[in-house]
Amino acid sequence: MKRHLISSAAHAQQKSPQHMLASVLVLSLAPGLAMADDAKPADSTRLETITIKAEQAPRGSYNTATTNLGKQKQALKDVPQAVSVVTRQLIADQGDINMKDVLKNVSGISFAAGEGGRSGDQIYLRGFAAFADTYRDGQRDVAQYNRDPFNDEKIEVLKGASSMLFGRGSTGGVINQVSKTPFAGDQLEVTGTIGTDHFHRETADINQALSDTTAIRLNVMNTTDGTPNGIAEQKRYGVAPSIAFGLGEPTTIVLSHMHMTENNTTMLGVPFDPNTLQPIDVPVDRYYGLQGMNSEDITSDISTARITHKIDSNNEISSQLRVSRYDRWLTSAQPQLVGASAGTPVTDSTALRYSGKNRGSLNETQSLTTDYNGKFNTGNLRHNLLAGLEFTRETSDAFNIGSSSISGLTTTVGNPSAVSYRGNYTTSPANSFVTRNLAVYATDTVELNAHWKVMGGLRMDKLDGDYKAYTNGSVSRSITRSDKGMSYRTGLIWQPTDTSSYYAGYSSLMNPSGEAYQFDVTSGATDKQAPERNKHYEIGAKWELADGDATLRTALFRTVKYNERNTDALSPDVSILYAERHTDGFEVEVAGRLSEKWEVFAGAALMNPKIDHGWVNNASSDVNRGAVPKYTPKTTANIWTTYKVTDKITGGLGLYYVGKRYASDGNSDQSSTRFAAAYTRVDAMISYDMRPYTIKLNLNNLTNKKYYDAMYAGHASAAAPREAQLTVAYKY
């Protein structure tokens, strides 16, 4: 089935050569038809209606020219910071099903494994924790769940301090998921995938125009992702309906909801070998979890209403209201070696026991953001102004999940599944937390002339919070506090040609002490712990290649963080401090179509992260001065490239390198610190397009490399071995 060609910012379309030729002929003959019509009798003056149709473009692109990351639509070359955009086409080609899959394409990113009390996506960006810096459509989405890209048009990563735009947090940058929205046209896209280790995934993306100005869209997803051990798996279901009114009109309203349910059987990972300081060397098909206990159940609901009004061609005001709810239950057991020490080899007979890591929570967020975007002149200067107001209320009620003693369930490294849990659970409150954040902000990009632009912005955040901690069901600590502070951002942009841009940028930001669902206080410290402070410096260049079909960018940066809070490895409710640390780095990225048949998305980051001053026993210390911060690789690199072998066959190849990462900060030389070794992963893809059908085969970890892609202080999580996934897609 073919559909009407109606332009849409959400969906790129183009005419096939045959239809384009037909269109040209119709238009060129129109005057002659009109003259002939005048010569006809009055009773035969009506011509038959001609409807022009076109097929949807078979492929999208890996290149993106614009972004709304800065709360206003901008060309990427006008943003004085590094920005990576993973497009819908790249996600589809690779068969990405979670954030770890998607963000392997972005240099400078690493992951922590599930830890005591935490779950979901735990992202580190340029060495700084970013699990409080995840966003959906420009609004905070910091709850602990496993994000799935089934409802994403693209995923944007703004690197470097960004509090001026997004408020508290965002030291290393922000990750923003851009939701799919209705457009004025008809579309049906259905995919089904089967793979090794009992993998299957089904998705549907349906858009229906109800009128010239109204459309609805529905995205659904069902996924089961198994593992070689046959026990651990991820199972989730998602549905995301939306409706848009006023498409193409001055006032547009979009209403949407996204629901996702997860029922996962977890495995936190394997313990570290005290001899090698690396994860114990065991087969990846062994299950190191406690059967009967290890489970994760999460329900996420996100409702959004957005209204946009174009005052005129240069002025626009928009407002977005979001209400979110996340319900989480996690019971997992961490495997631990018994009596193991350096000098004694770890074998299959080494004793193993489990430690419960159980926690539940109910998080709710209400957020309202209103932005004004305007363009105007003052003399010879052209202004692009953004001004906004934001209010957010976040609540969290966390509870402990108690289980009968599991310390006696001892087994061995060689037979970890010999024991299981058959006890019951009890619950008790752990802490409750509510914050109210009010922010005002403004930024102006001034075009000084045809080649120079200067940008400046500031933001004021005021965060009020109430926090209660519980012991044995009773309130043991109650805190009310308020933090406020300014964040700044400035940049200078030089664009000597239409295809080149050079910039220098600086930003400074503030993180309140209670900004991440808890008032982080160190043991013995007062509740008036000072907010974190951050400074970010960056210079870079961006070029358009291949007549604008591709882009190349580079960036040299330095990020410094003062008074940083870190979760204690032994207690997720207690914080430890760094007096100061920094990351220096250089990165490069190329994205887009380099020729008619060849497309690429590639990047690399070289970083030098260091702790400058540590904090031990509530006092400044140099014990770990010069250490590399935990989970942070010094080098990451990635390349994914496709080549159109014939009109129907496309082949793809991907390589991903991640350097050595430490599980903790340790001492200065980190000679006795646990770590995961560097690794290189190879992926491949081949697809056959016989429109409207596409058949695609993905081979991930082609060389069957054994490696660990996430870690925590006491365990590391092994990545999947070689896997094959076959996808059939139908699209019209």
Side-chain angles (χ1 to χ4, degrees), residues 441-481:
Y441 49 88
T443 183
D444 189 14
T445 301
V446 183
E447 300 178 24
L448 304 177
N449 55 42
H451 303 296
W452 289 91
K453 298 177 182 178
V454 62
M455 181 272 292
L458 55 86
R459 173 177 174 133
M460 167 66 82
D461 279 271
K462 185 176 185 299
L463 179 75
D464 297 314
D466 302 300
Y467 174 85
K468 292 181 180 179
Y470 297 84
T471 301
N472 297 324
S474 300
V475 175
S476 58
R477 183 157 49 99
S478 180
I479 307 167
T480 297
R481 64 172 291 162

mmCIF file of all heavy atoms in Angstrom, residues 441-481:
data_model
loop_
_atom_site.group_PDB
_atom_site.id
_atom_site.type_symbol
_atom_site.label_atom_id
_atom_site.label_comp_id
_atom_site.label_asym_id
_atom_site.label_seq_id
_atom_site.Cartn_x
_atom_site.Cartn_y
_atom_site.Cartn_z
ATOM 1 N N TYR A 441 15.552 30.458 33.621
ATOM 2 C CA TYR A 441 16.765 30.447 32.815
ATOM 3 C C TYR A 441 16.559 31.265 31.548
ATOM 4 O O TYR A 441 15.424 31.498 31.094
ATOM 5 C CB TYR A 441 17.162 29.017 32.455
ATOM 6 C CG TYR A 441 16.031 28.179 31.896
ATOM 7 C CD1 TYR A 441 15.731 28.154 30.535
ATOM 8 C CD2 TYR A 441 15.256 27.404 32.750
ATOM 9 C CE1 TYR A 441 14.695 27.382 30.034
ATOM 10 C CE2 TYR A 441 14.216 26.626 32.261
ATOM 11 C CZ TYR A 441 13.937 26.624 30.907
ATOM 12 O OH TYR A 441 12.904 25.854 30.427
ATOM 13 N N ALA A 442 17.672 31.698 30.976
ATOM 14 C CA ALA A 442 17.643 32.446 29.719
ATOM 15 C C ALA A 442 18.987 32.290 29.032
ATOM 16 O O ALA A 442 20.038 32.244 29.689
ATOM 17 C CB ALA A 442 17.346 33.923 29.964
ATOM 18 N N THR A 443 18.958 32.177 27.730
ATOM 19 C CA THR A 443 20.184 32.128 26.939
ATOM 20 C C THR A 443 19.943 32.847 25.621
ATOM 21 O O THR A 443 18.843 32.799 25.065
ATOM 22 C CB THR A 443 20.625 30.672 26.684
ATOM 23 O OG1 THR A 443 21.858 30.669 25.964
ATOM 24 C CG2 THR A 443 19.599 29.904 25.884
ATOM 25 N N ASP A 444 20.960 33.521 25.153
ATOM 26 C CA ASP A 444 20.839 34.305 23.921
ATOM 27 C C ASP A 444 22.047 34.018 23.038
ATOM 28 O O ASP A 444 23.197 34.099 23.492
ATOM 29 C CB ASP A 444 20.766 35.795 24.250
ATOM 30 C CG ASP A 444 20.408 36.645 23.028
ATOM 31 O OD1 ASP A 444 19.971 36.062 22.012
ATOM 32 O OD2 ASP A 444 20.573 37.875 23.095
ATOM 33 N N THR A 445 21.775 33.647 21.806
ATOM 34 C CA THR A 445 22.824 33.487 20.805
ATOM 35 C C THR A 445 22.748 34.674 19.863
ATOM 36 O O THR A 445 21.728 34.892 19.194
ATOM 37 C CB THR A 445 22.660 32.176 20.023
ATOM 38 O OG1 THR A 445 22.692 31.072 20.936
ATOM 39 C CG2 THR A 445 23.772 32.013 19.005
ATOM 40 N N VAL A 446 23.808 35.459 19.834
ATOM 41 C CA VAL A 446 23.826 36.707 19.074
ATOM 42 C C VAL A 446 24.702 36.528 17.841
ATOM 43 O O VAL A 446 25.878 36.147 17.947
ATOM 44 C CB VAL A 446 24.354 37.872 19.929
ATOM 45 C CG1 VAL A 446 24.298 39.174 19.130
ATOM 46 C CG2 VAL A 446 23.547 37.992 21.219
ATOM 47 N N GLU A 447 24.131 36.773 16.677
ATOM 48 C CA GLU A 447 24.885 36.738 15.421
ATOM 49 C C GLU A 447 25.520 38.102 15.217
ATOM 50 O O GLU A 447 24.854 39.082 14.868
ATOM 51 C CB GLU A 447 23.952 36.385 14.264
ATOM 52 C CG GLU A 447 23.281 35.027 14.411
ATOM 53 C CD GLU A 447 22.331 34.714 13.271
ATOM 54 O OE1 GLU A 447 22.513 35.298 12.174
ATOM 55 O OE2 GLU A 447 21.400 33.907 13.469
ATOM 56 N N LEU A 448 26.828 38.181 15.449
ATOM 57 C CA LEU A 448 27.529 39.452 15.317
ATOM 58 C C LEU A 448 27.652 39.869 13.863
ATOM 59 O O LEU A 448 27.540 41.053 13.530
ATOM 60 C CB LEU A 448 28.915 39.341 15.958
ATOM 61 C CG LEU A 448 28.932 38.897 17.439
ATOM 62 C CD1 LEU A 448 30.372 38.754 17.919
ATOM 63 C CD2 LEU A 448 28.164 39.890 18.296
ATOM 64 N N ASN A 449 27.899 38.891 13.002
ATOM 65 C CA ASN A 449 27.935 39.106 11.556
ATOM 66 C C ASN A 449 27.757 37.751 10.891
ATOM 67 O O ASN A 449 27.342 36.789 11.538
ATOM 68 C CB ASN A 449 29.234 39.802 11.119
ATOM 69 C CG ASN A 449 30.478 39.057 11.586
ATOM 70 O OD1 ASN A 449 30.543 37.835 11.523
ATOM 71 N ND2 ASN A 449 31.473 39.802 12.066
ATOM 72 N N ALA A 450 28.084 37.645 9.619
ATOM 73 C CA ALA A 450 27.833 36.405 8.886
ATOM 74 C C ALA A 450 28.696 35.247 9.379
ATOM 75 O O ALA A 450 28.372 34.085 9.107
ATOM 76 C CB ALA A 450 28.080 36.636 7.393
ATOM 77 N N HIS A 451 29.771 35.534 10.119
ATOM 78 C CA HIS A 451 30.713 34.482 10.484
ATOM 79 C C HIS A 451 30.887 34.280 11.990
ATOM 80 O O HIS A 451 31.424 33.251 12.402
ATOM 81 C CB HIS A 451 32.082 34.771 9.873
ATOM 82 C CG HIS A 451 32.057 34.919 8.383
ATOM 83 N ND1 HIS A 451 31.707 33.896 7.528
ATOM 84 C CD2 HIS A 451 32.317 35.994 7.584
ATOM 85 C CE1 HIS A 451 31.764 34.317 6.275
ATOM 86 N NE2 HIS A 451 32.121 35.580 6.278
ATOM 87 N N TRP A 452 30.461 35.215 12.808
ATOM 88 C CA TRP A 452 30.713 35.131 14.239
ATOM 89 C C TRP A 452 29.413 35.128 15.030
ATOM 90 O O TRP A 452 28.500 35.906 14.764
ATOM 91 C CB TRP A 452 31.581 36.300 14.709
ATOM 92 C CG TRP A 452 32.998 36.218 14.249
ATOM 93 C CD1 TRP A 452 33.529 36.745 13.119
ATOM 94 C CD2 TRP A 452 34.071 35.544 14.924
ATOM 95 N NE1 TRP A 452 34.867 36.456 13.020
ATOM 96 C CE2 TRP A 452 35.236 35.724 14.124
ATOM 97 C CE3 TRP A 452 34.178 34.828 16.107
ATOM 98 C CZ2 TRP A 452 36.474 35.196 14.488
ATOM 99 C CZ3 TRP A 452 35.411 34.303 16.479
ATOM 100 C CH2 TRP A 452 36.541 34.492 15.669
ATOM 101 N N LYS A 453 29.360 34.263 16.033
ATOM 102 C CA LYS A 453 28.225 34.208 16.950
ATOM 103 C C LYS A 453 28.762 34.090 18.371
ATOM 104 O O LYS A 453 29.790 33.442 18.602
ATOM 105 C CB LYS A 453 27.325 33.005 16.651
ATOM 106 C CG LYS A 453 26.692 33.030 15.264
ATOM 107 C CD LYS A 453 25.878 31.777 15.002
ATOM 108 C CE LYS A 453 25.297 31.794 13.584
ATOM 109 N NZ LYS A 453 24.541 30.561 13.275
ATOM 110 N N VAL A 454 28.055 34.693 19.311
ATOM 111 C CA VAL A 454 28.415 34.571 20.711
ATOM 112 C C VAL A 454 27.177 34.161 21.490
ATOM 113 O O VAL A 454 26.071 34.618 21.200
ATOM 114 C CB VAL A 454 29.011 35.886 21.255
ATOM 115 C CG1 VAL A 454 28.005 37.021 21.181
ATOM 116 C CG2 VAL A 454 29.509 35.701 22.684
ATOM 117 N N MET A 455 27.345 33.270 22.433
ATOM 118 C CA MET A 455 26.219 32.746 23.204
ATOM 119 C C MET A 455 26.492 32.915 24.688
ATOM 120 O O MET A 455 27.613 32.730 25.159
ATOM 121 C CB MET A 455 26.006 31.270 22.871
ATOM 122 C CG MET A 455 24.831 30.615 23.598
ATOM 123 S SD MET A 455 25.310 29.937 25.207
ATOM 124 C CE MET A 455 26.372 28.613 24.697
ATOM 125 N N GLY A 456 25.460 33.296 25.427
ATOM 126 C CA GLY A 456 25.584 33.413 26.866
ATOM 127 C C GLY A 456 24.268 33.047 27.532
ATOM 128 O O GLY A 456 23.194 33.331 26.991
ATOM 129 N N GLY A 457 24.349 32.381 28.680
ATOM 130 C CA GLY A 457 23.127 31.994 29.373
ATOM 131 C C GLY A 457 23.358 31.803 30.847
ATOM 132 O O GLY A 457 24.488 31.595 31.301
ATOM 133 N N LEU A 458 22.283 31.897 31.607
ATOM 134 C CA LEU A 458 22.360 31.640 33.043
ATOM 135 C C LEU A 458 21.056 31.021 33.513
ATOM 136 O O LEU A 458 20.007 31.145 32.871
ATOM 137 C CB LEU A 458 22.677 32.911 33.821
ATOM 138 C CG LEU A 458 21.773 34.134 33.630
ATOM 139 C CD1 LEU A 458 20.567 34.088 34.535
ATOM 140 C CD2 LEU A 458 22.564 35.407 33.894
ATOM 141 N N ARG A 459 21.141 30.344 34.660
ATOM 142 C CA ARG A 459 19.990 29.662 35.221
ATOM 143 C C ARG A 459 20.090 29.696 36.743
ATOM 144 O O ARG A 459 21.166 29.484 37.319
ATOM 145 C CB ARG A 459 19.932 28.220 34.731
ATOM 146 C CG ARG A 459 18.837 27.361 35.401
ATOM 147 C CD ARG A 459 18.794 25.984 34.806
ATOM 148 N NE ARG A 459 17.860 25.121 35.532
ATOM 149 C CZ ARG A 459 16.951 24.341 34.956
ATOM 150 N NH1 ARG A 459 16.855 24.309 33.643
ATOM 151 N NH2 ARG A 459 16.150 23.582 35.682
ATOM 152 N N MET A 460 18.960 29.936 37.374
ATOM 153 C CA MET A 460 18.866 29.897 38.821
ATOM 154 C C MET A 460 17.975 28.732 39.228
ATOM 155 O O MET A 460 16.834 28.623 38.775
ATOM 156 C CB MET A 460 18.295 31.204 39.371
ATOM 157 C CG MET A 460 17.858 31.143 40.837
ATOM 158 S SD MET A 460 19.230 30.886 41.993
ATOM 159 C CE MET A 460 19.829 32.579 42.122
ATOM 160 N N ASP A 461 18.494 27.838 40.072
ATOM 161 C CA ASP A 461 17.726 26.720 40.615
ATOM 162 C C ASP A 461 17.570 26.892 42.118
ATOM 163 O O ASP A 461 18.528 27.248 42.817
ATOM 164 C CB ASP A 461 18.447 25.390 40.345
ATOM 165 C CG ASP A 461 18.217 24.876 38.948
ATOM 166 O OD1 ASP A 461 17.232 24.148 38.749
ATOM 167 O OD2 ASP A 461 19.036 25.194 38.063
ATOM 168 N N LYS A 462 16.375 26.610 42.600
ATOM 169 C CA LYS A 462 16.116 26.588 44.041
ATOM 170 C C LYS A 462 15.443 25.267 44.369
ATOM 171 O O LYS A 462 14.331 24.990 43.931
ATOM 172 C CB LYS A 462 15.225 27.751 44.470
ATOM 173 C CG LYS A 462 15.032 27.843 45.992
ATOM 174 C CD LYS A 462 14.212 29.069 46.371
ATOM 175 C CE LYS A 462 14.143 29.218 47.902
ATOM 176 N NZ LYS A 462 13.499 28.062 48.546
ATOM 177 N N LEU A 463 16.153 24.434 45.146
ATOM 178 C CA LEU A 463 15.682 23.103 45.474
ATOM 179 C C LEU A 463 15.366 23.022 46.961
ATOM 180 O O LEU A 463 16.244 23.234 47.808
ATOM 181 C CB LEU A 463 16.743 22.057 45.110
ATOM 182 C CG LEU A 463 16.385 20.610 45.438
ATOM 183 C CD1 LEU A 463 15.360 20.085 44.438
ATOM 184 C CD2 LEU A 463 17.633 19.729 45.421
ATOM 185 N N ASP A 464 14.125 22.742 47.287
ATOM 186 C CA ASP A 464 13.710 22.502 48.667
ATOM 187 C C ASP A 464 13.393 21.021 48.809
ATOM 188 O O ASP A 464 12.744 20.424 47.944
ATOM 189 C CB ASP A 464 12.467 23.314 49.023
ATOM 190 C CG ASP A 464 12.731 24.807 48.936
ATOM 191 O OD1 ASP A 464 13.765 25.249 49.454
ATOM 192 O OD2 ASP A 464 11.904 25.527 48.332
ATOM 193 N N GLY A 465 13.833 20.424 49.913
ATOM 194 C CA GLY A 465 13.623 18.998 50.079
ATOM 195 C C GLY A 465 13.375 18.585 51.510
ATOM 196 O O GLY A 465 13.828 19.242 52.460
ATOM 197 N N ASP A 466 12.628 17.517 51.643
ATOM 198 C CA ASP A 466 12.372 16.893 52.941
ATOM 199 C C ASP A 466 12.792 15.429 52.850
ATOM 200 O O ASP A 466 12.441 14.736 51.893
ATOM 201 C CB ASP A 466 10.890 16.974 53.310
ATOM 202 C CG ASP A 466 10.382 18.404 53.343
ATOM 203 O OD1 ASP A 466 10.908 19.195 54.135
ATOM 204 O OD2 ASP A 466 9.462 18.724 52.556
ATOM 205 N N TYR A 467 13.512 14.977 53.857
ATOM 206 C CA TYR A 467 14.075 13.635 53.819
ATOM 207 C C TYR A 467 13.849 12.958 55.168
ATOM 208 O O TYR A 467 14.043 13.570 56.224
ATOM 209 C CB TYR A 467 15.571 13.713 53.519
ATOM 210 C CG TYR A 467 16.318 12.405 53.576
ATOM 211 C CD1 TYR A 467 16.358 11.575 52.457
ATOM 212 C CD2 TYR A 467 17.001 12.007 54.710
ATOM 213 C CE1 TYR A 467 17.056 10.373 52.494
ATOM 214 C CE2 TYR A 467 17.703 10.810 54.756
ATOM 215 C CZ TYR A 467 17.719 9.999 53.647
ATOM 216 O OH TYR A 467 18.414 8.816 53.673
ATOM 217 N N LYS A 468 13.437 11.698 55.120
ATOM 218 C CA LYS A 468 13.283 10.905 56.339
ATOM 219 C C LYS A 468 13.961 9.558 56.134
ATOM 220 O O LYS A 468 13.800 8.922 55.091
ATOM 221 C CB LYS A 468 11.808 10.687 56.676
ATOM 222 C CG LYS A 468 11.071 11.947 57.098
ATOM 223 C CD LYS A 468 9.620 11.637 57.450
ATOM 224 C CE LYS A 468 8.896 12.903 57.877
ATOM 225 N NZ LYS A 468 7.464 12.632 58.206
ATOM 226 N N ALA A 469 14.716 9.149 57.152
ATOM 227 C CA ALA A 469 15.324 7.824 57.161
ATOM 228 C C ALA A 469 14.697 7.022 58.287
ATOM 229 O O ALA A 469 14.319 7.568 59.326
ATOM 230 C CB ALA A 469 16.831 7.930 57.354
ATOM 231 N N TYR A 470 14.584 5.701 58.062
ATOM 232 C CA TYR A 470 13.903 4.833 59.019
ATOM 233 C C TYR A 470 14.847 3.752 59.519
ATOM 234 O O TYR A 470 15.679 3.234 58.770
ATOM 235 C CB TYR A 470 12.680 4.173 58.377
ATOM 236 C CG TYR A 470 11.611 5.144 57.940
ATOM 237 C CD1 TYR A 470 11.692 5.788 56.711
ATOM 238 C CD2 TYR A 470 10.514 5.404 58.750
ATOM 239 C CE1 TYR A 470 10.715 6.672 56.308
ATOM 240 C CE2 TYR A 470 9.523 6.291 58.348
ATOM 241 C CZ TYR A 470 9.633 6.920 57.131
ATOM 242 O OH TYR A 470 8.658 7.806 56.732
ATOM 243 N N THR A 471 14.696 3.409 60.798
ATOM 244 C CA THR A 471 15.398 2.280 61.394
ATOM 245 C C THR A 471 14.383 1.444 62.160
ATOM 246 O O THR A 471 13.660 1.973 63.018
ATOM 247 C CB THR A 471 16.502 2.757 62.344
ATOM 248 O OG1 THR A 471 17.436 3.572 61.626
ATOM 249 C CG2 THR A 471 17.247 1.561 62.934
ATOM 250 N N ASN A 472 14.303 0.179 61.791
ATOM 251 C CA ASN A 472 13.331 -0.725 62.418
ATOM 252 C C ASN A 472 11.905 -0.170 62.345
ATOM 253 O O ASN A 472 11.118 -0.275 63.291
ATOM 254 C CB ASN A 472 13.708 -0.997 63.870
ATOM 255 C CG ASN A 472 15.044 -1.695 64.003
ATOM 256 O OD1 ASN A 472 15.394 -2.543 63.179
ATOM 257 N ND2 ASN A 472 15.807 -1.340 65.040
ATOM 258 N N GLY A 473 11.599 0.453 61.209
ATOM 259 C CA GLY A 473 10.250 0.937 60.979
ATOM 260 C C GLY A 473 9.952 2.302 61.550
ATOM 261 O O GLY A 473 8.857 2.837 61.326
ATOM 262 N N SER A 474 10.876 2.887 62.289
ATOM 263 C CA SER A 474 10.644 4.198 62.894
ATOM 264 C C SER A 474 11.596 5.229 62.296
ATOM 265 O O SER A 474 12.717 4.894 61.871
ATOM 266 C CB SER A 474 10.857 4.134 64.411
ATOM 267 O OG SER A 474 9.966 3.215 64.999
ATOM 268 N N VAL A 475 11.168 6.494 62.292
ATOM 269 C CA VAL A 475 11.991 7.576 61.746
ATOM 270 C C VAL A 475 13.215 7.767 62.630
ATOM 271 O O VAL A 475 13.105 7.994 63.843
ATOM 272 C CB VAL A 475 11.188 8.886 61.662
ATOM 273 C CG1 VAL A 475 12.092 10.025 61.196
ATOM 274 C CG2 VAL A 475 10.012 8.727 60.716
ATOM 275 N N SER A 476 14.396 7.632 62.025
ATOM 276 C CA SER A 476 15.643 7.817 62.760
ATOM 277 C C SER A 476 16.328 9.132 62.418
ATOM 278 O O SER A 476 17.219 9.576 63.144
ATOM 279 C CB SER A 476 16.605 6.658 62.477
ATOM 280 O OG SER A 476 16.869 6.559 61.091
ATOM 281 N N ARG A 477 15.936 9.738 61.319
ATOM 282 C CA ARG A 477 16.540 11.007 60.920
ATOM 283 C C ARG A 477 15.561 11.744 60.034
ATOM 284 O O ARG A 477 14.986 11.170 59.105
ATOM 285 C CB ARG A 477 17.859 10.743 60.171
ATOM 286 C CG ARG A 477 18.613 11.984 59.757
ATOM 287 C CD ARG A 477 20.098 11.664 59.563
ATOM 288 N NE ARG A 477 20.320 10.493 58.727
ATOM 289 C CZ ARG A 477 20.620 10.557 57.427
ATOM 290 N NH1 ARG A 477 20.695 11.732 56.830
ATOM 291 N NH2 ARG A 477 20.826 9.463 56.741
ATOM 292 N N SER A 478 15.366 13.013 60.286
ATOM 293 C CA SER A 478 14.456 13.834 59.499
ATOM 294 C C SER A 478 15.144 15.153 59.178
ATOM 295 O O SER A 478 15.635 15.837 60.088
ATOM 296 C CB SER A 478 13.152 14.086 60.258
ATOM 297 O OG SER A 478 12.273 14.871 59.487
ATOM 298 N N ILE A 479 15.202 15.480 57.902
ATOM 299 C CA ILE A 479 15.952 16.658 57.457
ATOM 300 C C ILE A 479 15.087 17.478 56.512
ATOM 301 O O ILE A 479 14.403 16.934 55.644
ATOM 302 C CB ILE A 479 17.244 16.258 56.715
ATOM 303 C CG1 ILE A 479 18.077 15.299 57.552
ATOM 304 C CG2 ILE A 479 18.057 17.482 56.333
ATOM 305 C CD1 ILE A 479 19.187 14.641 56.766
ATOM 306 N N THR A 480 15.138 18.777 56.675
ATOM 307 C CA THR A 480 14.559 19.710 55.704
ATOM 308 C C THR A 480 15.639 20.727 55.363
ATOM 309 O O THR A 480 16.263 21.291 56.260
ATOM 310 C CB THR A 480 13.332 20.434 56.279
ATOM 311 O OG1 THR A 480 12.320 19.470 56.572
ATOM 312 C CG2 THR A 480 12.793 21.440 55.275
ATOM 313 N N ARG A 481 15.869 20.912 54.064
ATOM 314 C CA ARG A 481 16.911 21.861 53.685
ATOM 315 C C ARG A 481 16.592 22.476 52.341
ATOM 316 O O ARG A 481 15.714 22.010 51.603
ATOM 317 C CB ARG A 481 18.279 21.197 53.658
ATOM 318 C CG ARG A 481 18.429 20.099 52.611
ATOM 319 C CD ARG A 481 19.870 19.636 52.520
ATOM 320 N NE ARG A 481 20.724 20.674 51.951
ATOM 321 C CZ ARG A 481 22.045 20.688 52.070
ATOM 322 N NH1 ARG A 481 22.657 19.756 52.773
ATOM 323 N NH2 ARG A 481 22.764 21.636 51.507
#
